[in-house]
């Protein structure tokens, strides 16, 4: 037999009932996004890298081929290159959330096609600048309620930038995108690599057009760069520096004559993500 008065027992049961209601409401509406275990598909390497930096890599179930950092992302299901990603490939992973970078070259209509299926699609805006990188990191951090972790990534960028020494004599650089000797493109204005060269204190020697165009020996000789810049995989695809020098016109440039060739990992060099400060530091050290 209870020694507690009936009114006390009623108040206690009422209090317990209210606590359960508050708990359920919090779970349904008030809990931060990051507190739920979600199945996330990322269609962009920079977004994937930010998620990993925020401690959310374990929620990724699929990534595009540019998601190469950290190394653990390479073990996830691949949905292809952003230019060829299909809705079917993404949906086969049964994601709760699909993340897109505004600068990703997705197939026209893909986002709308995914949205029509009822899946949650979030597009994050990116700009090719240091401030744009910080803004993107903070936007992703805010969405997933990981603001503190985002600020750690931002501070790391600032710390790396402080270590960069101002270039006394800017160099002319040509970036070559290579996928074997049969696929060679050069970067014009408005690209992420063009922005990186400017931030590092150097000049993109190709100024006559925007975006990318096929490499010609005439354009390369007219630019006559001090340095040639490639992705490490691109340089490997043409047979290293020796193979590069065999391509038409390359050996007759200042860069070719002095073998001034710099290679960096693709996402690291052009991703404008959490490692943008480190990439700028390395680029400024290699081209001086």
């Amino acid at each position: 037999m209870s020694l507690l008065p009936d009114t006390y027992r009623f108040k206690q049961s009422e209090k317990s009932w209210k606590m359960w209601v508050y708990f359920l409401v919090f779970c349904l509406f008030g809990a931060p996004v990051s507190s739920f275990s979600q199945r996330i598909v990322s269609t962009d390497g920079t977004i994937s890298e930010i998620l990993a930096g925020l401690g959310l890599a374990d929620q990724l179930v699929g990534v595009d081929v540019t998601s190469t950092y950290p190394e653990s992302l390479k073990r996830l299901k691949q949905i292809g290159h952003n230019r060829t990603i299909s809705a079917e490939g993404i949906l086969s992973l049964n994601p709760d959330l699909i993340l897109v970078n505004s600068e990703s070259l997705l197939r026209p209509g893909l986002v709308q096609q995914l949205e029509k299926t009822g899946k949650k699609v979030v597009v994050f805006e990116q700009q090719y600048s240091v401030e744009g990188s910080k803004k993107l990191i903070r936007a992703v951090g805010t969405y997933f309620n990981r603001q503190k972790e985002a600020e750690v990534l931002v501070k790391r960028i600032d710390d790396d930038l402080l270590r960069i020494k101002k270039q006394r004599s800017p160099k002319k650089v040509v970036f070559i995108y290579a996928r074997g000797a049969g696929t060679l493109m050069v970067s014009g204005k408005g690209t992420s690599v063009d922005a990186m060269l400017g931030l590092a204190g150097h000049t993109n020697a190709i100024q006559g057009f925007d975006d990318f165009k096929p490499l010609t020996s005439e354009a390369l000789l007219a630019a006559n760069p001090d340095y040639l810049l490639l992705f490490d995989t691109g340089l490997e695809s043409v047979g290293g520096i020796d193979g590069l020098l065999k391509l038409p016109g390359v050996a007759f440039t200042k860069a070719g004559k002095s073998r001034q060739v710099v290679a960096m990992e693709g996402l690291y060099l052009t991703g404008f993500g959490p490692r943008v400060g480190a990439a700028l530091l390395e680029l400024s050290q290699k081209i001086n």
Side-chain angles (χ1 to χ4, degrees), residues 10 53 59 92 105 139 181 210 216 232-233 259 271 285:
F10 173 77
Q59 296 191 33
S92 68
L105 299 176
D210 295 335
T216 65
D232 52 5
T233 52
R259 297 175 68 90
Q285 292 170 340

Side-chain angles (χ1 to χ4, degrees), residues 18 36 41 46 81 93 108-109 126 132 138 159 193 197 274 281:
K18 286 182 178 179
F36 296 105
V41 169
T46 300
H81 193 280
L93 299 176
Q126 184 178 35
R138 285 173 171 143
D159 291 344
V193 71
L197 288 172
L281 175 61

Side-chain angles (χ1 to χ4, degrees), residues 125-179:
E125 295 294 324
Q126 184 178 35
Q127 299 172 345
Y128 294 143
S129 66
V130 171
E131 287 306 312
S133 298
K134 295 178 182 179
K135 185 177 180 180
L136 176 61
I137 291 169
R138 285 173 171 143
V140 178
T142 297
Y143 184 84
F144 288 97
N145 199 29
R146 296 289 178 102
Q147 291 92 334
K148 290 183 179 179
E149 291 84 349
E151 290 307 315
V152 171
L153 300 180
V154 169
K155 185 178 185 304
R156 193 176 302 160
I157 291 174
D158 289 333
D159 291 344
D160 287 327
L161 292 176
L162 289 174
R163 299 168 57 195
I164 299 176
K165 297 179 181 179
K166 186 176 181 179
Q167 296 293 338
R168 295 181 178 179
S169 56
K171 301 296 190 296
K172 293 196 304 178
V173 184
V174 165
F175 174 78
I176 299 176
Y177 175 77
R179 293 180 63 186

Side-chain angles (χ1 to χ4, degrees), residues 46-62:
T46 300
I47 298 293
S48 302
E49 183 177 337
I50 292 172
L51 286 178
L54 296 176
L56 298 171
D58 60 338
Q59 296 191 33
L60 283 166
V61 296

Side-chain angles (χ1 to χ4, degrees), residues 55-75:
L56 298 171
D58 60 338
Q59 296 191 33
L60 283 166
V61 296
V63 295
D64 77 312
V65 297
T66 69
S67 298
T68 57
Y69 185 87
E71 190 74 18
S72 60
L73 297 185
K74 296 180 181 180
R75 297 193 290 270

Side-chain angles (χ1 to χ4, degrees), residues 14-273:
E14 183 182 30
K15 182 178 180 181
S16 298
W17 177 81
K18 286 182 178 179
M19 288 178 65
W20 274 107
V21 171
Y22 291 152
F23 175 75
L24 289 172
V25 171
F26 176 79
C27 288
L28 290 172
F29 305 106
V33 175
S34 60
S35 68
F36 296 105
S37 179
Q38 300 186 95
R39 295 177 60 83
I40 302 174
V41 169
S42 170
T43 64
D44 175 76
T46 300
I47 298 293
S48 302
E49 183 177 337
I50 292 172
L51 286 178
L54 296 176
L56 298 171
D58 60 338
Q59 296 191 33
L60 283 166
V61 296
V63 295
D64 77 312
V65 297
T66 69
S67 298
T68 57
Y69 185 87
E71 190 74 18
S72 60
L73 297 185
K74 296 180 181 180
R75 297 193 290 270
L76 297 174
K77 291 285 187 180
Q78 298 283 324
I79 57 173
H81 193 280
N82 53 22
R83 291 184 179 87
T84 59
I85 291 173
S86 67
E88 293 74 18
I90 294 174
L91 296 173
S92 68
L93 299 176
N94 190 29
D96 302 309
L97 186 62
I98 302 163
L99 304 182
V100 177
N101 186 326
S102 64
E103 289 297 316
S104 294
L105 299 176
L106 299 178
R107 290 191 300 105
L110 178 61
V111 172
Q112 292 80 359
Q113 185 181 357
L114 291 168
E115 289 175 334
K116 287 180 180 178
T117 68
K119 294 294 183 180
K120 179 69 174 178
V121 181
V122 179
V123 180
F124 290 100
E125 295 294 324
Q126 184 178 35
Q127 299 172 345
Y128 294 143
S129 66
V130 171
E131 287 306 312
S133 298
K134 295 178 182 179
K135 185 177 180 180
L136 176 61
I137 291 169
R138 285 173 171 143
V140 178
T142 297
Y143 184 84
F144 288 97
N145 199 29
R146 296 289 178 102
Q147 291 92 334
K148 290 183 179 179
E149 291 84 349
E151 290 307 315
V152 171
L153 300 180
V154 169
K155 185 178 185 304
R156 193 176 302 160
I157 291 174
D158 289 333
D159 291 344
D160 287 327
L161 292 176
L162 289 174
R163 299 168 57 195
I164 299 176
K165 297 179 181 179
K166 186 176 181 179
Q167 296 293 338
R168 295 181 178 179
S169 56
K171 301 296 190 296
K172 293 196 304 178
V173 184
V174 165
F175 174 78
I176 299 176
Y177 175 77
R179 293 180 63 186
T183 304
L184 298 168
M185 309 282 285
V186 290
S187 169
K189 298 182 296 181
T191 64
S192 56
V193 71
D194 177 59
M196 283 293 285
L197 288 172
L199 289 169
H202 299 296
T203 302
N204 182 359
I206 303 293
Q207 293 290 317
F209 55 85
D210 295 335
D211 207 6
F212 286 83
K213 283 191 176 181
L215 172 68
T216 65
S217 57
E218 293 81 9
L220 187 60
L221 290 170
N224 196 22
D226 302 302
Y227 280 82
L228 292 172
L229 177 63
L230 294 89
F231 291 153
D232 52 5
T233 52
L235 184 59
E236 182 182 352
S237 75
V238 296
I241 295 179
D242 290 335
L244 181 66
L245 292 174
K246 295 177 183 178
L247 299 178
V250 173
F252 300 100
T253 63
K254 291 180 181 178
K257 292 174 182 177
S258 57
R259 297 175 68 90
Q260 298 276 43
V261 178
V262 172
M264 294 176 64
E265 191 269 325
L267 181 65
Y268 181 49
L269 175 62
T270 63
F272 276 87

